[in-house]
Amino acid sequence: MLNTDRLIVPTLDELNALPEAEVQDLFHRELLRSPHAETMEQWLELGRTILDTEDRPYLACQIGRFIASAEANNAHFDKADLAIRRSEEIASAHNLINLIAECKNTRGIVAGQRGNYAEAVVQFEQGLEVVNDEMAPAVTASLLTNLGLALDHLGQSSRAIEQHLSSIAIRERLGNHRGLASSYFNLGELYARRGDYDVAYEYYLRARDLQEQLDDVNSVARTFSSIAFVLAHTGEAEEALRYQQDAENLAANVPDARLHGVLMMMRGSILKTIGRVKESTEQLHACVAFARENGLQEMEVHTAVNIAKEHSTRGQNDEAVETFEYALGRTKDMGLRWLEAIVSKDLAGMYCQIGSPERAPDLLLQALHIFRANRSFDDYLSTLIDLANVYKTLHATADAFDALAVWAVEFRAESSRQLVDRINDIRRLHRHERTALEAESIAARNQELTVAMERQRELVRRLEEVNAEKDEFMTIAAHDLKNPLGLVKSMLQTMIKHADTLPREDLVDLCTDMYASIERMQSLVHTFLDMSRSADDPSRLRLSDINVGAIILRTASRYVQSAEKKHITLVLPDYAEITAHADPAALEEIIDNLVSNAIKFCDAGDTITLTVQLSDGVVCTHVRDTGPGLSDVDKRKLFTKYGQLSPKPTGGESSSGLGLYLSLRLAERMGGTITCESQPGSGCDFRVCLPEGHHT
């Protein structure tokens, strides 16, 4: 069992016995989320061992990224570079596409921490070439956010906003509220730096709302402080101080020294903005002491540098030099090489400002050495220019020219190095893309073959069903057409045999009977054709918004005379413009079947009533009759193919047994239903329900 005491670092064997996800979470906690100074180096060494062994490539890559981030947080950029490059090599060797993009993301973050935002942009953009929001939406959103931050530092705020908004769109789609809160906060920071305080305020409020939902006290406190900063810049001093106090109250019970330090810095900045300069300086001095007591090395130095710059702005040069020298001494004591270079450059500028340029060259040369070692190209070149200007001030013309010559050589060399690195990166990306595309192509071809085979099997099955149905149709058709054809033949023989003596009235009767028989045969043929079309191609239905009331009246009116002949009362609905989304021909076919069936099975004195109702987005047409009704056995046969019921047509009419079956299929293909309520001796109530039209 793993020892849960966080001050006891586990062995490699103990970690190897744990699932990868658990090991990954441990390293993330110990290196980034809440590190212990006492055990940090041991965890780093343990992580480097895992990174070197490469037994579990995915885990090794993730730990390498954590190591890189932790080293960069401590300004150890050379070690950060080694870790992230090793992670990227492993990800590339094992074709871990998402991790390649995540490594690019981490490389960009590290480049930004060392101040090389141009290189950071390159890394983030290369990461976005590897993945997209379909294959890895979370990684893509993170890359876009970080690209926005880097572009903002380069002064390209419009492009930065575009990246942030793209990231927000992905995170909204994913429902990633934590990521959204971060994106809103970053946009608020961007607009605040631009001086667009009203827009910044809106984004901070969005971030705050999500952070409160997530119960993220740290983030809420940080956002409250940023809102206070915006309010201070818009002249609302009292409200700004209230928000700042709320932030500090929230953080009071949070054991996060870094958060408390940030809030102290923010209070100092807010006090300065509202004109309380003395209190601001006191607050920043207190922040330096707090940071030193709690081991917040970077915060201590950054705050001291801000104090020095404030002294310089107010013309307090001696205090400015003293504070810069203090900050420089602390960077050397703590081994913060990157910050040492930054402070050395600032102090050299201060020496020149107070008329002591002779003290600047050594500081600038030291800064050059550190910037070059950390591959911070832009800072290195700008420092060379500063050195040349100092030499010029000191009338050391030869040294000035030497500095410019070195600048030219280094510019060319560094440009060549960056070009080679980018060419290698592009080659590696192309190689991975080619491998990934080949794999995708093979998978796609396999998928296409599988789909094609399945489609073919389905077609064969449908053809077999259709063929069987057509055979069945032909059998039924031959049977059902035989009787009316025989009747027509018999009547024609009678007419031919007695053509000279047959009275006109009898001739008309015979013609009328033949016409009825031909109509019955035509109806059967249409039924079979409709049945076939319904089975073969449901797409033939043409759905649109139709006036149900008009179709019901038009269809049912054709049966008024048939009902009167059998002394049946047919009650039609009052005209009403009720709209359904359906195929007009299909609905007409359904109503035709239901009304003709009701007339077939009703007897003299019965009533058939049609009504149309709209309720809860559904249009229902009722065809009720007072006929013989249906038994439970008959109701189970309803809507089945060729189902023959116990009640028989009262006027000797024929029945194919297909009308209700076809009607149900048509209704279902229109998104509707047909049901029947009936009891023996109580008639039937057929109900056709269809979706309401889009426009009523």
Side-chain angles (χ1 to χ4, degrees):
M1 174 180 278
L2 188 67
N3 195 309
T4 56
D5 186 345
R6 289 190 59 188
L7 295 179
I8 299 177
V9 179
T11 65
L12 185 60
D13 288 339
E14 287 175 326
L15 288 179
N16 285 336
L18 296 176
E20 285 194 8
E22 191 171 336
V23 176
Q24 184 176 318
D25 188 62
L26 278 172
F27 272 93
H28 186 263
R29 183 189 70 187
E30 297 297 336
L31 295 181
L32 299 175
R33 195 162 64 236
S34 55
H36 276 298
E38 299 92 332
T39 58
M40 169 71 86
E41 190 54 43
Q42 291 173 271
W43 279 98
L44 286 170
E45 194 58 40
L46 189 58
R48 293 187 194 104
T49 302
I50 294 174
L51 189 59
D52 289 339
T53 55
E54 201 183 331
D55 291 337
R56 294 192 276 185
Y58 183 89
L59 178 63
C61 284
Q62 293 288 31
I63 290 176
R65 291 178 55 242
F66 298 157
I67 292 172
S69 297
E71 296 286 20
N73 288 343
N74 291 316
H76 299 150
F77 297 112
D78 51 345
K79 294 180 180 179
D81 278 340
L82 287 173
I84 194 57
R85 287 181 182 277
R86 176 63 180 146
S87 286
E88 194 170 347
E89 287 173 4
I90 295 172
S92 299
H94 293 273
N95 202 34
L96 302 171
I97 302 298
N98 286 10
L99 272 179
I100 293 173
E102 291 191 44
C103 287
K104 291 291 184 187
N105 202 13
T106 304
R107 281 183 67 177
I109 293 170
V110 171
Q113 285 178 287
R114 61 160 44 122
N116 194 346
Y117 296 109
E119 177 61 22
V121 167
V122 170
Q123 294 300 326
F124 295 138
E125 287 180 339
Q126 288 182 354
L128 290 168
E129 291 174 3
V130 177
V131 294
N132 55 49
D133 62 334
E134 291 183 1
M135 62 188 296
V139 178
T140 302
S142 179
L143 283 162
L144 287 167
T145 294
N146 291 327
L147 177 58
L149 294 172
L151 289 169
D152 185 34
H153 280 288
L154 292 173
Q156 301 179 34
S157 57
S158 296
R159 279 192 66 200
I161 291 170
E162 289 178 11
Q163 311 311 313
H164 283 302
L165 293 176
S166 296
S167 175
I168 285 172
I170 295 172
R171 285 170 168 168
E172 284 178 343
R173 193 179 75 235
L174 295 175
N176 180 359
H177 289 175
R178 194 171 298 279
L180 272 174
S182 174
S183 291
Y184 290 147
F185 181 83
N186 288 330
L187 265 177
E189 297 283 271
L190 186 153
Y191 279 107
R193 282 191 291 272
R194 286 177 48 162
D196 293 339
Y197 297 116
D198 289 340
V199 180
Y201 182 74
E202 291 300 321
Y203 277 110
Y204 284 141
L205 290 182
R206 292 188 194 181
R208 181 204 63 187
D209 291 344
L210 288 175
Q211 291 160 353
E212 288 179 340
Q213 290 177 27
L214 295 165
D215 198 25
D216 186 351
V217 177
N218 288 40
S219 297
V220 173
R222 181 70 181 85
T223 303
F224 270 21
S225 190
S226 293
I227 292 173
F229 177 83
V230 166
L231 292 171
H233 279 271
T234 55
E236 300 182 53
E238 293 302 319
E239 189 70 2
L241 290 174
R242 186 183 69 79
Y243 259 98
Q244 181 61 27
Q245 188 60 53
D246 287 344
E248 292 166 7
N249 292 341
L250 276 173
N253 297 319
V254 178
D256 187 337
R258 184 174 297 278
L259 174 63
H260 291 287
V262 168
L263 295 181
M264 292 178 74
M265 288 180 65
M266 290 293 289
R267 176 173 280 275
S269 178
I270 291 165
L271 288 169
K272 177 186 173 183
T273 301
I274 63 177
R276 293 159 63 169
V277 178
K278 182 179 178 182
E279 292 177 68
S280 170
T281 303
E282 292 173 354
Q283 180 71 21
L284 292 176
H285 277 291
C287 183
V288 170
F290 177 84
R292 184 166 187 171
E293 290 171 7
N294 289 276
L296 303 173
Q297 301 170 343
E298 288 188 70
M299 184 178 293
E300 177 188 352
V301 174
H302 281 303
T303 308
V305 169
N306 287 337
I307 293 172
K309 290 180 178 178
E310 181 61 30
H311 283 313
S312 176
T313 301
R314 298 207 300 267
Q316 300 168 343
N317 293 334
D318 291 341
E319 290 88 343
V321 169
E322 181 183 351
T323 309
F324 271 127
E325 288 175 342
Y326 166 81
L328 181 60
R330 291 298 293 155
T331 61
K332 291 179 177 180
D333 293 343
M334 295 180 289
L336 300 175
R337 298 282 286 163
W338 169 254
L339 282 176
E340 180 185 343
I342 296 292
V343 178
S344 294
K345 194 169 184 292
D346 287 339
L347 182 55
M350 193 67 218
Y351 282 144
C352 292
Q353 183 177 324
I354 65 174
S356 301
E358 70 281 356
R359 303 177 67 179
D362 288 343
L363 290 168
L364 293 173
L365 288 169
Q366 178 63 9
L368 283 171
H369 174 73
I370 296 171
F371 285 142
R372 186 176 189 194
N374 282 285
R375 301 183 65 191
S376 182
F377 181 54
D378 294 339
D379 287 306
Y380 178 77
L381 293 180
S382 69
T383 306
L384 269 174
I385 294 294
D386 290 345
L387 183 60
N389 286 328
V390 169
Y391 282 140
K392 179 183 176 183
T393 302
L394 295 171
H395 305 292
T397 307
D399 290 334
F401 277 115
D402 286 344
L404 289 174
V406 170
W407 180 90
V409 171
E410 290 293 344
F411 180 85
R412 181 177 179 181
E414 183 62 24
S415 296
S416 298
R417 279 195 295 272
Q418 288 189 359
L419 182 60
V420 170
D421 285 346
R422 289 175 187 176
I423 288 172
N424 288 335
D425 283 338
I426 290 169
R427 284 174 176 167
R428 185 162 54 250
L429 284 172
H430 283 173
R431 187 164 57 250
H432 292 311
E433 286 174 359
R434 186 169 61 250
T435 302
L437 285 172
E438 288 173 354
E440 288 177 7
S441 178
I442 292 170
R445 284 198 297 271
N446 289 339
Q447 180 66 20
E448 287 173 1
L449 286 172
T450 301
V451 171
M453 291 177 65
E454 183 60 34
R455 189 182 297 120
Q456 187 175 22
R457 282 194 291 268
E458 178 64 18
L459 285 173
V460 169
R461 186 184 65 79
R462 287 291 298 123
L463 285 171
E464 290 174 347
E465 288 181 357
V466 169
N467 190 51
E469 283 191 344
K470 289 188 184 301
D471 288 344
E472 193 171 12
F473 291 165
M474 291 300 294
T475 301
I476 297 297
H479 177 271
D480 286 356
L481 291 174
K482 182 175 66 175
N483 288 339
L485 278 172
L487 286 172
V488 170
K489 180 181 178 182
S490 175
M491 285 184 283
L492 283 172
Q493 286 174 338
T494 299
M495 291 171 65
I496 293 169
K497 183 176 180 181
H498 303 285
D500 296 333
T501 59
L502 195 65
R504 177 179 175 78
E505 292 180 1
D506 292 343
L507 182 62
V508 171
D509 289 341
L510 285 171
C511 288
T512 302
D513 290 341
M514 282 193 294
Y515 183 79
S517 296
I518 290 170
E519 274 197 325
R520 190 159 57 249
M521 288 188 287
Q522 187 179 41
S523 176
L524 282 170
V525 170
H526 285 164
T527 299
F528 290 132
L529 289 176
D530 288 341
M531 186 71 191
S532 178
R533 281 195 295 270
S534 173
D536 291 348
D537 187 5
S539 66
R540 294 189 184 187
L541 294 177
R542 297 292 181 262
L543 301 179
S544 62
D545 288 355
I546 60 173
N547 187 336
V548 175
I551 290 176
I552 301 301
L553 281 173
R554 183 174 65 248
T555 306
S557 295
R558 294 200 294 262
Y559 286 92
V560 171
Q561 290 183 351
S562 299
E564 288 177 349
K565 285 182 180 179
K566 295 184 69 173
H567 304 289
I568 295 169
T569 302
L570 180 60
V571 181
L572 302 182
D574 293 332
Y575 177 80
E577 288 200 12
I578 298 178
T579 305
H581 193 64
D583 180 300
L587 178 58
E588 192 168 332
E589 179 72 20
I590 292 170
I591 300 303
D592 191 284
N593 279 324
L594 294 179
V595 175
S596 65
N597 275 353
I599 292 173
K600 280 181 190 177
F601 293 98
C602 282
D603 212 337
D606 282 329
T607 301
I608 301 170
T609 306
L610 280 74
T611 58
V612 183
Q613 296 174 336
L614 170 62
S615 176
D616 296 328
V618 178
V619 178
C620 290
T621 302
H622 291 263
V623 180
R624 298 185 180 92
D625 65 62
T626 58
L630 298 171
S631 67
D632 290 340
V633 174
D634 285 328
K635 282 190 285 188
R636 286 194 292 271
K637 293 179 183 179
L638 279 177
F639 309 114
T640 60
K641 195 187 296 185
Y642 312 117
Q644 296 296 328
L645 309 180
S646 298
K648 301 302 177 185
T650 56
E653 298 97 333
S654 64
S655 175
S656 67
L658 291 173
L660 289 178
Y661 170 74
L662 176 60
S663 296
L664 178 61
R665 292 188 64 165
L666 289 173
E668 289 176 343
R669 295 196 188 286
M670 293 188 290
T673 60
I674 299 181
T675 56
C676 176
E677 294 182 5
S678 178
Q679 295 294 330
S682 299
C684 295
D685 179 5
F686 283 89
R687 184 172 62 179
V688 183
C689 292
L690 297 168
E692 181 185 4
H694 301 309
H695 305 286
T696 59

